């Protein structure tokens, strides 16, 4: 019905380790989309990014953004939705959940650093979903690691085959440009001139060797011709089907800061990546085009207005068209309702939407009825999308409530905050709500918890850090007698609020030991709600 609108949408997340250049690359994308006039105004670290999400006092105090946002812009006939995945200290479970709303991912890697910790974690979530992953190896204008070694590292560390779409000619001061393997042409590099979008680029067919030598020099030309032979012989053949199933990652080299290779990347990426993907529901696969409106909640943003405990629920539209004011069904709540104040983000501004399509993300006012993973569909329909997994926290603390008279507020507060998905709460097996252990993906969430309990629920707590770093859900919990599991000395048995057993470990190697000692035990890093 809305085929044209839906098929022009591309919804993706950018994943990277802090400082690899994600923000700079996003700025350059927006520049091509005409969404902003001057690169640098997306984040400007202290300004625009905050205008988007300075909802919580803590964000202002700390000068960081706790939330992730969505940017929409048009380019070359496409409607692009970029999901920002927060890094630095504000890394949280939301960062992972955002990936559940994306149809593909762009992985930005610093050419002098290679695969780093946070990229590895985010990559795992993308790989679990088998979504297409595109690699942009950034900062080629600085001295880079060996190209072959970089590709090797991605293949070995992340377990995905790579296929270079372009190939760098030198790096740092000797960076001459990239060779486009499709067009069999070299695009020469020159730094940007101040205030302009990009530097001057010449396009030289690789067959015209004399000209190539003249432009990039004999040494670079010899190396390039040798390397072309090597990669044509050794690297994986490009296969779109494998790309779209996340088995093969197309790799691009460039420099976001100098805007070199960015438009080339964007063009190839938009061609190669998928239109909004069909999503799994309990009644089968829901096709985005042939079905009426449906969506699922992937993120809840709390406390936009302290007086009202307002929340915003972010939904990914999975099928059909959304009209402001239309009646929809909240399946888990069993209620027909109108979604109020639906909003979308355009570059750095928030605005009310009248209509949106499969692939888009909208934020709606939530009076406290939605939970993460909930399904919204047409009133006549009744199905649930596959839930969003719970991601393994990496930091744990025991919570001590300071004023025992406020037990009720404490239990209510901590449960509500857990429901929004900012933290996960666990108990020692058999201890009830007396002993609560909180698990978070990023340590900032501990502060958020403390701050919110104090400010919203008037409850003071003390957090005692625990040494655990690894948590595993027991995949085959019905087949295993948890009380009889033999573990290592650093292992602790806990349960979540639904009574699912979990194991905590201080050391990662203990996970392997426990698997070895208990035959048939299956552990997983992703919990299911
Ligand atoms: P992030 O969002 O992934 O954390 O990275 P961000 O874009 O903020 O980039 C981190 C730093 O790396 C920035 O420098 C940025 O200018 C620089 N950078 C990004 N892409 C390139 C590139 O292609 N080449 C070079 N040479 N540098 C690049 P900064 O000094 O930390 O910040 P700023 O003061 O420039 O904002």
């Amino acid at each position: 019905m809305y085929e044209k609108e839906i098929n022009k949408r591309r919804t993706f997340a950018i994943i990277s380790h802090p400082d690899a250049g994600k923000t700079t690359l996003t700025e350059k994308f927006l520049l091509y989309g005409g969404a902003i006039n001057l690169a640098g105004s997306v984040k400007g670290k202290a300004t625009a990014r905050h205008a988007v999400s300075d909802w919580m006092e803590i964000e202002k105090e700390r000068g960081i953004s706790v939330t992730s946002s969505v940017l929409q812009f048009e380019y070359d006939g496409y409607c692009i939705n970029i999901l920002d995945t927060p890094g630095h200290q504000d890394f949280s479970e939301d960062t992972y959940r955002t990936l559940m709303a994306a149809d593909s991912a762009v992985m930005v890697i610093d050419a002098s650093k290679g695969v780093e910790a946070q990229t590895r974690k985010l990559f795992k979530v993308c790989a679990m979903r088998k979504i297409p992953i595109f690699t942009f190896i950034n900062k080629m204008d600085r001295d880079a690691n060996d190209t072959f070694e970089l590709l090797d590292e991605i293949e070995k560390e992340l377990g995905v085959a790579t296929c270079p779409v372009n190939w760098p000619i030198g790096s740092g001061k000797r960076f001459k440009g990239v060779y486009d393997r499709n067009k069999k042409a070299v695009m020469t590099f020159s730094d940007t001139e101040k205030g302009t979008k990009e530097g001057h680029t010449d396009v030289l067919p690789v067959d015209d060797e004399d000209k190539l030598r003249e432009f990039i020099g004999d040494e670079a030309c010899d190396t390039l011709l040798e390397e072309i032979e090597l990669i044509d012989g050794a690297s994986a053949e490009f296969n779109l089907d494998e790309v779209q199933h996340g088995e093969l990652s197309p790799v691009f080299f460039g420099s976001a800061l100098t805007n070199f290779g960015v438009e080339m990347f964007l063009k190839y990426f938009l061609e190669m990546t998928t239109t909004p993907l069909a999503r799994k529901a309990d009644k089968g696969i829901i096709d985005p085009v042939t079905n009426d409106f449906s969506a699922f909640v992937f993120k809840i943003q709390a406390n936009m207005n302290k007086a009202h405990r307002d929340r915003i629920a972010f939904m990914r539209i999975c099928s059909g068209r959304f009209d402001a004011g239309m009646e929809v069904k909240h399946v888990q709540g069993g209620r027909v309702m109108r979604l109020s104040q639906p909003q979308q983000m355009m570059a750095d501004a928030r605005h009310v939407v009248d209509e949106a399509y499969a692939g888009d993300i909208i934020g709606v006012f939530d009076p406290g009825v939605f939970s993460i993973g909930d399904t919204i569909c047409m009133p006549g329909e009744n199905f649930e999308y596959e839930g969003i997994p719970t991601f393994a926290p990496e930091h744990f603390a025991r919570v001590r409530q300071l004023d025992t008279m406020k037990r009720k507020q404490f239990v209510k507060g901590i449960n509500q905050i857990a429901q929004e998905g900012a933290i996960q709460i666990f108990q020692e097996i058999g201890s009830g709500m007396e002993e609560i252990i909180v698990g978070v993906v990023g340590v900032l969430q501990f502060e958020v918890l403390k701050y919110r309990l104090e400010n919203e629920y008037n409850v003071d707590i003390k957090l005692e850090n625990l040494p655990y770093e690894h948590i595993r859900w027991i995949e085959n919990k019905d087949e295993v007698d948890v009380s009889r599991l033999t573990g290592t000395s650093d292992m602790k048995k806990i349960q979540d609020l639904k009574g699912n057993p979990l194991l905590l470990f201080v050391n990662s190697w203990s996970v392997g030991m426990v698997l070895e000692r208990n035959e048939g035990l299956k552990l997983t890093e992703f919990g299911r709600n």
Side-chain angles (χ1 to χ4, degrees):
M1 267 177 291
Y2 307 110
E3 200 166 353
K4 213 171 134 218
E5 280 297 335
I6 294 172
N7 286 342
K8 72 180 218 188
R9 279 167 162 75
R10 299 288 183 275
T11 304
F12 64 96
I14 307 189
I15 62 176
S16 75
H17 192 81
D19 280 342
K22 186 176 57 126
T23 312
T24 312
L25 187 67
T26 309
E27 281 168 8
K28 296 299 176 333
F29 284 166
L30 292 180
L31 203 58
Y32 285 110
I36 51 171
N37 298 319
L38 263 184
S41 58
V42 175
K43 179 165 76 169
K45 285 199 171 132
T47 53
R49 198 160 165 216
H50 272 235
V52 175
S53 60
D54 59 350
W55 296 333
M56 291 178 69
E57 283 299 317
I58 197 165
E59 289 185 350
K60 287 186 212 150
E61 278 170 19
R62 297 281 305 255
I64 48 150
S65 151
V66 183
T67 57
S68 36
S69 52
V70 189
L71 302 165
Q72 187 180 64
F73 66 96
E74 304 244 344
Y75 170 75
D76 208 13
Y78 296 97
C79 175
I80 296 165
N81 292 305
I82 303 185
L83 294 150
D84 184 22
T85 52
H88 297 265
Q89 315 94 306
D90 44 353
F91 193 74
S92 73
E93 225 185 319
D94 269 348
T95 313
Y96 289 138
R97 286 193 200 106
T98 298
L99 296 177
M100 307 306 284
D103 296 316
S104 61
V106 170
M107 173 164 75
V108 184
I109 287 179
D110 181 332
S112 68
K113 304 246 174 76
V115 176
E116 294 176 88
Q118 199 164 297
T119 322
R120 211 173 284 131
K121 289 184 202 165
L122 292 165
F123 180 89
K124 258 195 209 169
V125 179
C126 298
M128 172 188 77
R129 291 192 52 219
K130 299 191 176 7
I131 56 173
I133 300 169
F134 295 78
T135 307
F136 185 84
I137 299 191
N138 190 29
K139 305 197 186 182
M140 290 309 296
D141 59 308
R142 292 228 190 117
D143 287 339
N145 293 356
D146 178 78
T147 315
F148 289 101
E149 277 169 23
L150 277 168
L151 296 181
D152 219 38
E153 189 185 352
I154 294 169
E155 300 210 345
K156 287 216 179 87
E157 285 239 13
L158 305 179
V160 65
T162 58
C163 175
V165 178
N166 67 24
W167 191 260
I169 307 165
S171 69
K173 287 203 172 61
R174 300 203 300 188
F175 184 48
K176 304 280 187 205
V178 293
Y179 166 64
D180 182 334
R181 295 182 64 209
N182 267 324
K183 299 206 167 80
K184 301 209 183 309
V186 166
M187 334 267 290
T188 60
F189 168 77
S190 75
D191 207 339
T192 44
E193 285 146 34
K194 270 251 171 303
T196 58
K197 274 215 268 192
E198 54 208 323
H200 175 76
T201 293
D202 287 300
V203 182
L204 311 167
V206 76
D207 295 343
D208 192 348
E209 208 179 305
D210 290 344
K211 201 154 181 205
L212 201 57
R213 284 185 188 280
E214 185 190 316
F215 274 78
I216 67 172
D218 283 335
E219 198 189 329
C221 186
D222 288 341
T223 313
L224 175 67
L225 295 176
E226 229 172 77
E227 288 182 345
I228 291 177
E229 219 167 283
L230 267 175
I231 46 174
D232 284 350
S235 74
E237 288 261 327
F238 182 79
N239 177 320
L240 192 60
D241 194 54
E242 284 175 22
V243 170
Q244 298 203 337
H245 288 91
E247 291 156 13
L248 179 69
S249 179
V251 181
F252 300 78
F253 295 82
S255 160
L257 188 67
T258 58
N259 202 3
F260 180 78
V262 175
E263 192 168 28
M264 178 184 190
F265 171 74
L266 190 58
K267 283 203 151 119
Y268 276 121
F269 165 72
L270 291 169
E271 261 171 44
M272 293 175 184
T273 191
T274 66
T275 53
L277 291 173
R279 301 266 172 166
K280 238 188 237 161
D282 53 2
K283 72 166 196 180
I285 303 285
I286 308 292
D287 181 81
V289 174
T290 53
N291 288 276
D292 285 332
F293 168 76
S294 71
F296 69 86
V297 177
F298 67 94
K299 190 177 107 152
I300 290 173
Q301 172 72 53
N303 198 29
M304 293 184 61
N305 179 339
K306 207 163 112 183
H308 297 109
R309 279 198 195 139
D310 293 350
R311 314 201 296 193
I312 277 214
F314 286 87
M315 316 184 168
R316 151 81 198 219
I317 303 181
C318 299
S319 63
R321 170 187 149 123
F322 169 78
D323 271 305
M326 79 200 266
E327 285 203 321
V328 296
K329 185 199 254 175
H330 172 218
V331 178
Q332 279 77 1
R335 275 198 331 137
V336 171
M337 60 196 322
R338 284 196 170 82
L339 297 176
S340 99
Q341 303 165 20
Q343 316 175 31
Q344 231 171 1
M345 239 71 88
M346 285 276 249
D348 57 359
R350 180 185 291 274
H351 72 121
V352 174
V353 286
D354 296 324
E355 57 175 54
Y357 297 87
D360 289 342
I361 311 295
I362 52 170
V364 306
F365 171 78
D366 171 19
V369 299
F370 296 118
S371 291
I372 285 166
D374 282 3
T375 300
I376 320 294
C377 59
M378 296 304 283
E381 290 276 5
N382 199 26
F383 62 87
E384 288 181 21
Y385 278 109
E386 208 178 28
I388 291 185
T390 322
F391 299 96
E394 290 175 26
H395 308 277
F396 299 87
R398 186 174 281 121
V399 189
R400 296 241 181 264
Q401 186 201 349
L402 298 180
D403 180 355
T404 43
M405 298 294 282
K406 293 182 183 161
R407 190 77 203 159
K408 245 171 105 176
Q409 286 105 299
F410 168 68
V411 172
K412 185 174 166 204
I414 200 159
N415 272 298
Q416 279 189 353
I417 295 170
Q419 188 202 356
E420 288 160 15
I423 55 162
Q424 292 182 38
I425 44 183
F426 308 101
Q427 301 153 333
E428 301 220 18
I429 289 184
S431 85
M433 285 297 270
E434 304 309 312
E435 268 284 324
I436 292 187
I437 293 173
V438 178
V440 297
V441 168
V443 282
L444 182 69
Q445 298 305 321
F446 282 144
E447 276 179 59
V448 173
L449 172 69
K450 202 164 175 323
Y451 179 91
R452 290 191 55 193
L453 281 173
E454 264 166 40
N455 281 271
E456 294 171 39
Y457 300 90
N458 205 13
V459 174
D460 287 328
I461 57 160
K462 193 165 173 275
L463 291 165
E464 245 171 63
N465 287 331
L466 296 171
Y468 305 102
E469 287 182 15
H470 308 274
I471 190 167
R472 293 292 182 275
W473 280 262
I474 299 175
E475 220 176 333
N476 53 343
K477 61 177 186 235
D478 300 331
E479 297 161 19
V480 173
D481 181 354
V482 180
S483 64
R484 300 185 59 177
L485 285 181
T486 40
T488 48
S489 58
D490 68 331
M491 184 182 92
K492 187 180 183 66
K493 296 173 189 172
I494 54 166
Q495 61 184 30
D496 63 18
L497 293 185
K498 290 185 184 132
N500 296 313
L502 298 105
L503 302 176
L504 283 179
F505 303 92
V506 177
N507 303 307
S508 62
W509 56 263
S510 305
V511 183
M513 291 287 279
V514 167
L515 283 171
E516 242 171 63
R517 287 181 188 168
N518 300 275
E519 218 189 308
L521 177 68
K522 286 187 193 145
L523 299 177
T524 165
E525 279 178 68
F526 304 110
R528 280 277 161 204
N529 285 320

